[in-house]
Amino acid sequence: MVSVANGQDNQLNVPETVYLLAHEFEYGSTDGDTDEQPVVRVQLDSFYISRFETTVAQYAQFVEDTDRSLPAENSIEQPNFPIVNVTIEDARNYARWLSRQTGEKWRLPTEYEWEMAAGLGVHKAYVNDVEPTELCTYANIADESAVEDMPNITSCSDGSQGVAEVGSYAPNNASIYDLHGNVWEWTSNCYRETNGGYKPFSCDAYTVRGGSFMTPAIHVRVTNREQLEKNNRLAQVGFRLVKER
């Protein structure tokens, strides 16, 4: 994390970012679910993305400054855990607040941006004949460490039964952590039953990406897409942000 002065006595806990250069890549998969198809070529401009999922400590500064409360199942005594139980509007409100505090433009990533970042490393490869069990080195997923009654676990051990501190596992090749597993992450895209396209207007369900500590390896693949109603709060859903150039 990076702390910078915000003109007051306290320090603003600003998310650390990774700069990703403009890039053309294949978005989607022919091997996954129907909503991961068709595969399309996407050209993205350069952008910054959070190295870690947004933490309790970062979100706590926002709720204190705006007279809100931490959502349930978050504790200030676990400052480096990802913030969870947030709706998409909670995440957007945090991004707007952070933008005002820093004078920069922060927002949720699009699905294109999220998938580009997630595909820059070992996680992409496991879909292509690399054993899913290798993900326990890189991701907090539903594994042999999970609760006994959790279905469809992956046969490896990542050492965590629930959500873990951000950065507890190895990063991808772009030095970005927890894009797979730990907590699902909100994106700015309305959910669609087919791949591609961006709807900037409001909708009832948005796409979440990446899987969580309750998700087996098969569903934390780079291209997997799930929908979540915009007002839902779940203990396995958080977010990370993009900063525009």
Side-chain angles (χ1 to χ4, degrees), residues 1-243:
M1 315 313 170
V2 178
S3 294
V4 299
N6 67 349
Q8 304 174 10
D9 292 336
N10 62 320
Q11 296 286 308
L12 181 63
N13 192 335
V14 181
E16 184 179 345
T17 59
V18 173
Y19 183 58
L20 300 182
L21 294 173
H23 185 63
E24 183 179 35
F25 71 106
E26 288 191 349
Y27 174 81
S29 172
T30 58
D31 300 323
D33 298 331
T34 56
D35 66 354
E36 299 169 45
Q37 304 172 29
V39 174
V40 294
R41 297 292 299 180
V42 175
Q43 175 68 49
L44 290 181
D45 294 332
S46 302
F47 63 95
Y48 296 86
I49 190 166
S50 299
R51 191 183 299 276
F52 305 99
E53 293 161 334
T54 303
T55 66
V56 170
Q58 290 165 340
Y59 196 84
Q61 289 189 317
F62 158 66
V63 300
E64 181 178 1
D65 191 49
T66 56
D67 198 27
R68 291 173 165 86
S69 300
L70 277 179
E73 299 190 52
N74 295 280
S75 172
I76 198 62
E77 295 180 358
Q78 296 178 313
N80 293 323
F81 279 64
I83 191 73
V84 295
N85 269 325
V86 285
T87 67
I88 192 170
E89 194 59 25
D90 291 335
R92 286 172 166 168
N93 283 334
Y94 170 76
R96 294 183 189 111
W97 173 84
L98 186 62
S99 297
R100 292 193 300 270
Q101 296 295 311
T102 61
E104 300 166 323
K105 175 61 176 178
W106 295 84
R107 57 172 174 80
L108 288 172
T110 67
E111 287 197 73
Y112 290 154
E113 291 166 337
W114 191 96
E115 189 166 314
M116 172 182 157
L120 296 174
V122 295
H123 309 297
K124 186 85 171 181
Y126 100 81
V127 188
N128 302 321
D129 301 324
V130 174
E131 288 297 322
T133 55
E134 293 184 21
L135 278 182
C136 279
T137 303
Y138 302 94
N140 179 15
I141 58 177
D143 68 308
E144 293 171 349
S145 306
V147 292
E148 294 181 358
D149 59 352
M150 187 177 291
N152 303 319
I153 64 170
T154 299
S155 296
C156 61
S157 179
D158 60 33
S160 179
Q161 293 187 3
V163 66
E165 285 193 16
V166 301
S168 294
Y169 298 86
N172 72 2
N173 289 342
S175 296
I176 306 172
Y177 293 80
D178 302 315
L179 282 161
H180 302 267
N182 216 25
V183 296
W184 289 95
E185 299 177 10
W186 286 108
T187 72
S188 61
N189 286 74
C190 299
Y191 177 78
R192 303 179 66 180
E193 292 183 355
T194 57
N195 209 4
Y198 174 63
K199 293 184 178 181
F201 46 84
S202 61
C203 57
D204 291 332
Y206 287 80
T207 307
V208 292
R209 291 294 203 111
S212 78
F213 63 91
M214 297 180 66
T215 311
I218 188 62
H219 296 306
V220 302
R221 62 187 181 276
V222 170
T223 55
N224 186 45
R225 307 171 64 243
E226 299 292 342
Q227 62 175 312
L228 186 64
E229 292 184 3
K230 62 183 181 181
N231 293 324
N232 273 10
R233 297 180 184 273
L234 296 176
Q236 53 177 313
V237 176
F239 65 96
R240 77 177 70 225
L241 295 181
V242 157
K243 183 177 73 172

